[in-house]
Amino acid sequence: MRKRKAGEVFRNDDIDFDHTKQVGEGAFGTVYEGITPGRVVKTFKDINDDVDYLKYEFEAAANEAYLQQLAASRGLAPRVTGMGASSFSPGPLIEMEDMRDMYETVASRYGGRAPRSVRVKTQQQVGQMALMGINAADRNPGNVMVNRFTGKP
């Protein structure tokens, strides 16, 4: 495997991940630990063999990666480091920064419900993303992260 530079754009079969080390799971995909240190990889669910559906999945993933990169430019999401495919997953993959060293989910820090200050700050961020054209309707305690030291989202 060749070495990659930070921020390099990847193409098919360039993104590797450890499919035995699951980091998290949501309604649309699963996140695994990346082979590259400091990276995680999101895979998408419900992939079937239909070529048109697979094309749709890649377009949807590319759109999600673009919107996530916009949010990352404002410090509201992990930076996307690549997008592509892998032999472990027939569908699209998004590789991004691993934020677990500095951040943890609201669910892991506070249980099911965050304090009012965190909920207000999260809604402010959702509003900020809405002004950028990003619909962040999937914000929940499992995918909102807070700084381990300050407790702020």
Side-chain angles (χ1 to χ4, degrees):
M1 178 183 201
R2 68 181 175 80
K3 287 194 166 201
R4 298 188 299 235
K5 298 176 186 170
E8 182 180 348
V9 177
F10 310 114
R11 288 185 260 300
N12 290 343
D13 293 320
D14 272 341
I15 297 177
D16 293 320
F17 63 98
D18 188 339
H19 65 283
T20 65
K21 294 185 180 175
Q22 184 175 324
V23 172
E25 186 171 17
F28 301 109
T30 305
V31 179
Y32 296 94
E33 208 166 282
I35 297 295
T36 304
R39 308 262 172 87
V40 294
V41 176
K42 180 178 182 179
T43 63
F44 291 82
K45 290 183 180 179
D46 299 324
I47 300 296
N48 62 37
D49 293 332
D50 180 25
V51 173
D52 289 333
Y53 185 77
L54 196 57
K55 180 182 175 189
Y56 165 78
E57 282 293 314
F58 272 92
E59 289 172 359
N63 186 53
E64 180 172 332
Y66 170 73
L67 294 175
Q68 182 172 329
Q69 193 62 19
L70 277 178
S73 71
R74 299 280 175 103
L76 303 174
R79 185 175 57 87
V80 174
T81 56
M83 189 183 152
S86 170
S87 57
F88 290 125
S89 175
L93 305 172
I94 297 176
E95 185 181 59
M96 63 191 86
E97 287 180 305
D98 185 353
M99 307 297 283
R100 293 176 296 162
D101 286 346
M102 294 292 293
Y103 291 85
E104 62 187 320
T105 65
V106 166
S108 66
R109 182 172 180 117
Y110 300 109
R113 188 165 169 84
R116 179 173 165 69
S117 62
V118 171
R119 295 192 318 266
V120 167
K121 182 69 174 170
T122 299
Q123 289 308 311
Q124 288 171 340
Q125 291 176 349
V126 169
Q128 189 177 4
M129 287 188 282
L131 291 173
M132 296 166 51
I134 301 171
N135 179 6
D138 68 339
R139 306 286 266 183
N140 64 62
N143 67 12
V144 173
M145 300 187 88
V146 293
N147 186 289
R148 289 185 183 276
F149 304 103
T150 66
K152 295 180 181 178

